[in-house]
Amino acid sequence: MTIFQRIKNVFTGLVTLGLGILFIMERDNEAYVLIIIALSLGLAVRAVRDIIYYFTMARHMIGGKMILFQGVILLDFALLTASLSDVSKVYILLYLIAIHAFSGMVEILRAMEAKRTVEGPWKIKFSHGIINLLLALACLLFIKNIIAALIIYGIGLVYSGIMRIISAMRRTTFILIG
């Protein structure tokens, strides 16, 4: 990881940490709009980044079209998320539960693959996946209470921000093929 990537990851982690603390401190019943804005902006930024990456570099790579498809699907999810402002709060929480559950399962599967193939930080990925699944379960338990769900989402953001900062500070290994 280059110095610029480390600085970018620390900055992203700090912004995520700040948003998480903002969501934890917010006690407004209409604060779910903040969740919608944060989710849609995050998904849109990631989608635009993937699409730009495809057109600048990934179209020349094997499997590069998957990055384009991922960007387009993320852009669709960002637009869907942005359109959920008029929908009942329960549907937004179900959407949030689905995101956390899917993210947790993907992270656990990636950790298991990393454990099988490479000696690396699979324990951190595994714990991140477990935390995401626990957050999805907690959102499911408190589905009727929007403020509790907002606090749970904030805790998830704080955890993700801390993990991003830790992974940016961690020493990386270089493999030299000679």
Side-chain angles (χ1 to χ4, degrees):
M1 187 179 304
T2 65
I3 297 292
F4 178 72
Q5 288 173 331
R6 288 183 194 273
I7 291 171
K8 186 179 78 167
N9 278 344
V10 168
F11 178 73
T12 305
L14 289 174
V15 168
T16 305
L17 190 65
L19 276 174
I21 291 171
L22 175 75
F23 286 146
I24 291 171
M25 299 304 233
E26 187 67 38
R27 297 286 184 237
D28 188 10
N29 254 346
E30 298 299 319
Y32 72 95
V33 174
L34 292 174
I35 292 177
I36 292 172
I37 291 170
L39 281 174
S40 62
L41 279 178
L43 288 170
V45 166
R46 176 79 190 263
V48 169
R49 190 183 73 187
D50 283 352
I51 292 170
I52 289 172
Y53 178 67
Y54 170 76
F55 284 113
T56 56
M57 188 180 295
R59 66 182 168 162
H60 304 295
M61 296 170 24
I62 295 175
K65 284 186 182 178
M66 290 302 293
I67 294 171
L68 176 66
F69 297 151
Q70 177 180 327
V72 170
I73 289 171
L74 284 175
L75 188 60
D76 287 342
F77 276 124
L79 294 174
L80 173 72
T81 304
S83 70
L84 289 177
S85 62
D86 296 335
V87 181
S88 174
K89 297 173 190 174
V90 174
Y91 293 119
I92 295 167
L93 289 177
L94 287 173
Y95 185 68
L96 190 61
I97 290 167
I99 287 173
H100 274 296
F102 181 74
S103 173
M105 289 304 298
V106 167
E107 202 67 34
I108 289 172
L109 291 173
R110 287 178 59 204
M112 291 300 170
E113 182 181 359
K115 182 181 177 186
R116 262 194 335 263
T117 59
V118 184
E119 293 291 327
W122 67 271
K123 292 178 185 176
I124 292 176
K125 288 181 183 181
F126 187 77
S127 69
H128 194 90
I130 294 293
I131 295 293
N132 270 337
L133 285 177
L134 290 175
L135 288 172
L137 182 66
C139 278
L140 190 62
L141 292 175
F142 295 107
I143 198 162
K144 295 291 184 184
N145 189 352
I146 188 69
I147 293 180
L150 193 65
I151 291 171
I152 292 167
Y153 183 64
I155 290 170
L157 284 178
V158 166
Y159 180 74
S160 292
I162 290 171
M163 293 307 293
R164 185 176 287 268
I165 292 170
I166 288 172
S167 69
M169 297 297 179
R170 190 175 23 172
R171 184 176 280 241
T172 56
T173 59
F174 292 98
I175 299 174
L176 296 175
I177 300 173

